[in-house]
Amino acid sequence: MIEFDQVSRRFGATVAVDRVSLTVPSGSITALVGTSGSGKSTLLRMINRLIPPDEGTIRIDGIDTATLEEVALRRGIGYVIQGNGLFPHWTVARNIATVPRLLGWDAARIEARVRELLERFGLDPAVYANKLPHALSGGQQQRVGVARALAAEPEILLMDEPFGALDPIIRARAQDDLLALQRRLGITVVIVTHDMDEALRLGDQIVVMDHGRVLQAGAPEQILARPAVDFVRQLVGDADRALRLLALTRVGEAAETVGSTEPAGSGEAAGRAGAPLSSAATLRDAMGALLWHGVETLPVADDDGVVRRRISLPAILTRARRPQ
Ligand SMILES: Nc1ncnc2c1ncn2[C@@H]1O[C@H](COP(=O)(O)OP(=O)(O)OP(=O)(O)O)[C@@H](O)[C@H]1O
């Protein structure tokens, strides 16, 4: 758990972070969101003391970070920045090995770790280990940046606009990969973004900042349904709120069972509307598909491709309503 207790930081006359108190629970993703200059990056960088606070206390698992050696503190904290920050003249393998080398791991252990990480991130070590970063696509470079941050098995991962430079399709995939990775490793992730949709998609907790202050911190549903102040309401978008709420729920969670089991692609609605929806799609996707095909229900295929359920317009409407 990371705790901020009345933390402030000034740069000259600018108050970048203003008396912030906040708890980041362990093993979850917290998204810091807000307009440019609201203090998100400063708050993030105070966790690993790249920027020391002027006032207040930051505790990690109960220990005041001001009492720790910087090297010891940063050993347990991975850090990823926009545009990945890879060293351009170092190979992919050497980039990933940066922190293990600093920590004095032996060569065999470093090599095994680099190989393991490349494989985990879908980059064949035989192909990619000895390439320079510029020979990789933006999405691949971004994955190497995350691999490097995770090399020494940190329990905390700090990410500052990590997907900002990626195109929308690669970006969506990178977000899915991060979610899967975080769930698998159980690490604590704090991510800075100015994109509310990204924050809602990734965050277990959303922290909305403005002028160095935390305006609201809560679960995505709470931020959407009960924005604490006008600024948060504007940020979540009055008109878009229902659709954003739908994007938080998977089709599988709202689908209804149909009588008989039928293989994917069969059935009356599927015949009219094409392929069934995946149970992993969001209700926002489902809404779009229903409108597009002009139907009130669509079949839903489970992970094994078999259609056992369907999603209906009334079921979606129930979920789009403001939670009580
Ligand atoms: N090193 C610095 N020197 C002077 N002022 C700074 C410095 N770092 C940040 N600031 C100022 O502090 C305020 C908060 O900046 P910060 O980078 O934390 O905001 P942010 O929300 O991350 O913004 P962005 O999304 O644009 O990166 C801004 O007014 C910024 O100009």
Side-chain angles (χ1 to χ4, degrees), residues 29-33 189-193 198-200 202-208:
I29 302 182
T30 289
L32 306 180
V33 66
V189 177
V190 186
I191 180 169
V192 164
T193 176
E198 181 163 272
L200 291 169
L202 294 175
D204 299 298
Q205 172 175 239
I206 312 285
V207 177
V208 183

Side-chain angles (χ1 to χ4, degrees), residues 262-277 293 295 297-300 307:
E262 39 188 329
S266 72
E268 189 205 340
R272 260 186 292 137
L277 285 165
H293 294 295
V295 293
T297 66
L298 275 173
V300 173
V307 173

Side-chain angles (χ1 to χ4, degrees), residues 11 14 16 35-43 161 192 194:
F11 295 103
T14 307
T35 49
S36 183
S38 55
K40 308 179 295 293
S41 297
T42 305
L43 192 68
E161 296 272 3
V192 164
H194 60 258

Side-chain angles (χ1 to χ4, degrees), residues 246-257:
L246 288 179
L248 298 178
T249 308
R250 304 275 165 190
V251 166
E253 295 168 50
E256 305 144 353
T257 309

Side-chain angles (χ1 to χ4, degrees), residues 48-49 68-77 99 102-103:
N48 62 2
R49 291 232 312 271
L68 297 172
E69 289 264 0
E70 274 177 15
V71 176
L73 172 68
R74 289 186 197 148
R75 193 176 298 157
I77 304 178
V99 179
L102 286 173
L103 295 176

